[in-house]
Amino acid sequence: MGTASRLLLLLLHNLLLLPPPPGAFGFAPSLDSDFTFTLPAGRKECFFQTMRQGASLEVEYQVLDGAGLDVDFYLESPRGEILVFHQRKSDGVHTVETEDGDYMFCFDNTFSTISEKMIFFELILDNMGEGEQEDWKKYITGTDMLDMKLEDILESINSVKARLSKSLQIQTLLRAFEARDRNIQESNFDRVNFWSMVNLGIMVVVSAVQVYLLKSLFEDKRKSRT
């Protein structure tokens, strides 16, 4: 295998197979992660994401199912500051510039005593450890002569990766919108069926009452005498 082929394989490995950082409750720094979960009534769920100085964290969420399609959301910095706080929202998108530490974001359904909520959220991480992608340069010696610049290869691979990540993000959001619309349609379908049955029952009762009243009008209540 030639030098150019080995370098291309090494680039792909570093760019596409980066290992996740240590630490519990954190999502892998693969630019974006998404998760769907059910939040019971009267409960609050929190998640943590480890970030570095100068990076960017974007959180997007949607309530897919549940009465009212709303939830409380807040985002807290490593120093305990509330960066974002929204009450009774069905969706939202928030982007913050980060510092070193663990960021906490919570979904609160304590205001609801009956209805659980199905929630989808997505994390998009930027500038999370670009230095690891430069390890391939140590394999280059002064005698290596290539027909193309390695920087151009890296730029092309990064461009393709960014476009693929954007496509996956859009597809994920479209699936979330589709799931929410489907839940709304199913809820409306059940509501229409319920009230249709109620109206049908009322019509049957009214018809029976009308038949009884008409029969009572034509009945001869006079008693025959002998």
Side-chain angles (χ1 to χ4, degrees):
M1 182 182 294
T3 304
S5 300
R6 289 197 299 269
L7 289 173
L8 283 175
L9 290 176
L10 183 60
L11 282 173
L12 290 173
H13 179 271
N14 287 337
L15 288 175
L16 303 179
L17 300 177
L18 288 175
F25 307 106
F27 291 89
S30 58
L31 293 182
D32 62 85
S33 303
D34 58 83
F35 188 56
T36 302
F37 70 100
T38 299
L39 182 60
R43 292 283 301 276
K44 178 176 69 173
E45 293 289 345
C46 295
F47 302 86
F48 296 85
Q49 174 60 49
T50 302
M51 300 298 295
R52 56 173 292 179
Q53 181 71 32
S56 174
L57 171 64
E58 179 178 329
V59 183
E60 179 169 358
Y61 69 92
Q62 295 182 37
V63 182
L64 302 181
D65 194 16
L69 293 177
D70 54 359
V71 72
D72 293 345
F73 172 83
Y74 66 89
L75 175 63
E76 183 177 310
S77 71
R79 293 181 292 178
E81 299 176 353
I82 302 298
L83 304 178
V84 178
F85 180 72
H86 279 171
Q87 287 184 308
R88 309 293 290 270
K89 295 291 185 179
S90 61
D91 56 70
V93 181
H94 308 287
T95 304
V96 295
E97 299 298 324
T98 62
E99 56 184 300
D100 291 329
D102 294 332
Y103 283 76
M104 180 178 70
F105 55 97
C106 298
F107 299 92
D108 192 347
N109 193 32
T110 55
F111 60 85
S112 178
T113 58
I114 300 176
S115 176
E116 64 180 18
K117 306 294 174 63
M118 180 180 294
I119 300 175
F120 163 83
F121 70 87
E122 182 177 20
L123 298 182
I124 301 176
L125 315 177
D126 288 327
N127 302 324
M128 291 291 292
E130 298 292 337
E132 296 185 11
Q133 299 180 6
E134 303 297 324
D135 293 340
W136 56 271
K137 291 185 177 180
K138 65 184 180 181
Y139 293 96
I140 304 176
T141 62
T143 58
D144 289 332
M145 300 296 295
L146 301 177
D147 295 333
M148 61 180 69
K149 293 183 179 179
L150 294 177
E151 288 80 2
D152 295 338
I153 300 176
L154 179 61
E155 182 179 356
S156 299
I157 294 177
N158 283 333
S159 177
V160 173
K161 183 185 178 185
R163 293 176 184 271
L164 289 175
S165 299
K166 188 64 176 179
S167 299
L168 291 175
Q169 177 190 354
I170 293 175
Q171 291 176 358
T172 302
L173 293 178
L174 289 177
R175 286 196 299 270
F177 282 123
E178 180 185 2
R180 184 174 66 177
D181 293 341
R182 183 173 63 252
N183 291 329
I184 293 175
Q185 291 176 357
E186 290 177 354
S187 177
N188 292 337
F189 178 76
D190 294 337
R191 190 178 294 112
V192 169
N193 285 339
F194 172 76
W195 287 111
S196 297
M197 295 301 297
V198 171
N199 290 332
L200 179 61
I202 293 175
M203 291 176 63
V204 171
V205 172
V206 171
S207 300
V209 172
Q210 289 179 345
V211 171
Y212 174 77
L213 292 177
L214 287 174
K215 289 181 64 177
S216 65
L217 290 177
F218 291 99
E219 285 182 353
D220 188 5
K221 297 182 179 180
R222 292 176 300 177
K223 297 182 178 179
S224 60
R225 296 180 180 179
T226 58

